[in-house]
C-alpha cells in the first residue's frame, strides 16, 4: 500500500483481504493511500463459517467482521461484498472523475429499468437528483414525456421510429447533455440496448456518447443489456476504449458510482486531516 500510494501509474487499488495481523500498520498505510487514490476492499470471512475457512489456510483467526468494518471505514477504504464487484467497481474509478456529491441521474429505455435503478441507488448510498426547473423545461421541449428522474426515453424513441427517424437514438443524444449540465446532478448512469441489428450502429452510438459528455467533469457509466451477447461485448469493448466503464449488470453500475461518491468524501476528509503526505 505504501508503494502503490506513490506509484504514478496506479490509479486505484483493489484488495482481496482475509485478515490483518498488524492493525495500526495497515490503517496507517491505508489512510496514506486513500488520501491520494481509491482503495476498494473485498473482506472475506464475514460469516462465522467463512472465518473458520479462512483460518484453515491462513493460520490465524479472521476476526469479527464488525471490527474489520470499522477499521476499513476509518482507513478510508470502500468495501465491496462480492468478487464481481471487486473487479467491476474499479472501472468507474479508473476511467471517470470522482463526483462532487451523491446525486445520481439515470437515463433508461424502460420504466422498469428506472425502478431497478432507484432501488440500487438507495442501496449504494446515492440519492436521485432533483432536476432544476431549467432542466425540466429543456427536457419537456424534447418531449412532453420527459422531465423526471429517472429519464425514460423509451416512449420517445418509439415515437421517433414511428416517424421514420434516421437516428433512433436521437432522444438519448439530446437528453444526455441536458441532464449532465444540471448543477443538481453529480453522476449519471445510462442504459444501452445491444442487439445484432444494431451492430453496424455501435461506433456511431459510442461517438455520440463521447460527444454528448465532452467538457463535463462528472462520472458517467453505462449498463448494457440486450439479446446478443457478442453485440453486448462488442459495445463494452468500444466504450472501454473511450474510457467509458460498461457493465452487464445495472446494480453493479450504480454500486460503482456509489463507491466513487464515497471515495470523493473520504479523500476530502483525509486531505483536511493532513493525511495527503
Amino acid at each position: 500500500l505504501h508503494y502503490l500510494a506513490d506509484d504514478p501509474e496506479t490509479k486505484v487499488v483493489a484488495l482481496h483481504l482475509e485478515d490483518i495481523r498488524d492493525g495500526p500498520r495497515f490503517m496507517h498505510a491505508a489512510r496514506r493511500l486513500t488520501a491520494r487514490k481509491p482503495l476498494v476492499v473485498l473482506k472475506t470471512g464475514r460469516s462465522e463459517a467463512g472465518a473458520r475457512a479462512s483460518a484453515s489456510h491462513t493460520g490465524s483467526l479472521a476476526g469479527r467482521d464488525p471490527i474489520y468494518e470499522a477499521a476499513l471505514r476509518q482507513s478510508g477504504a470502500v468495501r465491496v461484498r462480492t468478487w464481481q464487484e471487486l473487479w467491476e467497481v474499479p472501472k468507474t474509478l479508473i476511467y471517470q472523475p470522482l463526483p462532487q456529491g451523491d446525486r445520481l441521474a439515470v437515463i433508461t429505455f424502460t420504466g422498469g429499468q428506472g425502478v431497478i435503478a432507484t432501488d440500487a441507488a438507495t442501496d449504494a448510498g446515492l440519492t436521485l437528483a432533483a432536476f432544476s426547473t431549467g432542466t425540466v423545461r429543456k427536457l419537456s421541449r424534447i418531449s412532453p414525456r420527459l422531465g423526471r428522474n429517472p429519464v425514460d426515453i423509451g416512449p420517445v424513441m418509439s415515437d421517433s421510429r414511428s416517424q421514420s427517424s434516421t437516428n433512433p437514438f436521437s432522444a438519448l443524444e439530446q437528453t444526455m447533455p441536458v441532464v449532465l449540465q444540471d448543477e443538481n446532478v453529480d453522476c449519471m448512469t445510462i442504459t444501452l440496448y445491444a442487439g445484432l441489428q444494431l451492430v453496424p450502429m455501435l461506433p456511431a452510438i459510442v461517438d455520440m456518447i463521447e460527444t454528448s459528455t465532452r467538457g463535463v467533469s462528472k462520472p458517467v457509466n453505462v449498463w448494457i443489456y440486450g439479446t446478443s451477447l457478442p453485440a453486448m461485448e462488442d459495445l463494452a469493448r468500444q466504450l472501454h476504449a473511450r474510457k467509458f466503464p460498461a457493465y452487464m449488470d445495472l446494480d453493479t453500475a450504480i454500486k460503482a458510482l456509489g463507491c466513487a461518491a464515497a471515495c470523493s468524501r473520504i479523500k476530502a476528509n483525509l486531505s483536511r486531516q493532513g493525511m495527503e503526505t
Side-chain angles (χ1 to χ4, degrees), residues 138-198:
K138 292 175 183 176
L139 291 174
S140 298
R141 287 190 192 126
I142 298 171
S143 171
R145 298 171 181 264
L146 304 179
R148 292 180 295 180
N149 187 23
V151 183
D152 179 9
I153 63 172
V156 183
M157 293 181 66
S158 296
D159 291 345
S160 298
R161 284 193 293 269
S162 65
Q163 297 167 11
S164 301
S165 171
T166 57
N167 179 10
F169 289 90
S170 60
L172 181 61
E173 185 175 15
Q174 296 175 70
T175 302
M176 278 195 299
V178 172
V179 172
L180 272 179
Q181 290 164 12
D182 190 316
E183 61 183 9
N184 295 331
V185 171
D186 297 309
C187 54
M188 185 170 75
T189 289
I190 62 176
T191 71
L192 280 180
Y193 173 81
L196 282 176
Q197 71 274 23
L198 294 178

Side-chain angles (χ1 to χ4, degrees), residues 1 4 10 12-17 33 38-42 80 85-87 90:
L1 293 180
L4 294 173
T10 299
V12 178
V13 177
L15 171 64
H16 173 210
L17 176 69
L33 183 140
L39 173 61
V40 179
V41 176
L42 172 64
V80 294
E85 290 178 353
L86 182 69
W87 285 99

Side-chain angles (χ1 to χ4, degrees), residues 18-272:
E18 291 198 30
D19 66 356
I20 299 172
R21 305 189 184 212
D22 188 336
R25 184 182 177 193
F26 170 85
M27 292 180 68
H28 178 266
R31 284 170 66 87
R32 182 172 177 269
L33 183 140
T34 54
R36 305 179 183 190
K37 57 192 71 173
L39 173 61
V40 179
V41 176
L42 172 64
K43 169 62 179 72
T44 52
R46 290 184 289 115
S47 65
E48 183 177 341
R52 287 197 302 269
S54 176
S56 69
H57 72 90
T58 63
S60 64
L61 294 177
R64 291 186 299 169
D65 194 66
I67 296 175
Y68 278 94
E69 181 74 25
L72 292 171
R73 184 171 60 251
Q74 293 174 29
S75 301
V78 172
R79 189 172 182 182
V80 294
R81 298 289 175 176
T82 68
W83 186 250
Q84 177 186 0
E85 290 178 353
L86 182 69
W87 285 99
E88 295 283 302
V89 163
K91 289 191 296 190
T92 291
L93 302 175
I94 291 170
Y95 289 146
Q96 294 288 298
L98 292 179
Q100 297 300 307
D102 61 4
R103 298 168 298 180
L104 171 71
V106 181
I107 300 180
T108 75
F109 281 34
T110 72
Q113 293 170 0
V115 175
I116 296 171
T118 301
D119 287 340
T122 300
D123 293 340
L126 297 168
T127 60
L128 284 184
F131 293 152
S132 68
T133 303
T135 296
V136 173
R137 187 181 302 116
K138 292 175 183 176
L139 291 174
S140 298
R141 287 190 192 126
I142 298 171
S143 171
R145 298 171 181 264
L146 304 179
R148 292 180 295 180
N149 187 23
V151 183
D152 179 9
I153 63 172
V156 183
M157 293 181 66
S158 296
D159 291 345
S160 298
R161 284 193 293 269
S162 65
Q163 297 167 11
S164 301
S165 171
T166 57
N167 179 10
F169 289 90
S170 60
L172 181 61
E173 185 175 15
Q174 296 175 70
T175 302
M176 278 195 299
V178 172
V179 172
L180 272 179
Q181 290 164 12
D182 190 316
E183 61 183 9
N184 295 331
V185 171
D186 297 309
C187 54
M188 185 170 75
T189 289
I190 62 176
T191 71
L192 280 180
Y193 173 81
L196 282 176
Q197 71 274 23
L198 294 178
V199 169
M201 297 182 61
L202 295 184
I205 293 171
V206 175
D207 285 341
M208 178 261 292
I209 292 174
E210 185 174 46
T211 301
S212 299
T213 58
R214 186 172 295 148
V216 180
S217 185
K218 297 178 182 180
V220 176
N221 66 18
V222 180
W223 172 50
I224 300 173
Y225 73 105
T227 55
S228 167
L229 183 58
M232 294 165 64
E233 292 175 337
D234 188 10
L235 178 55
R237 282 191 293 269
Q238 293 188 44
L239 286 166
H240 289 160
R242 306 286 185 91
K243 300 190 182 303
F244 287 101
Y247 295 87
M248 305 295 181
D249 175 76
L250 180 55
D251 292 89
T252 307
I254 293 178
K255 169 78 171 185
L257 289 172
C259 288
C263 288
S264 182
R265 292 192 301 270
I266 289 165
K267 184 175 181 179
N269 290 336
L270 292 180
S271 294
R272 283 195 295 267

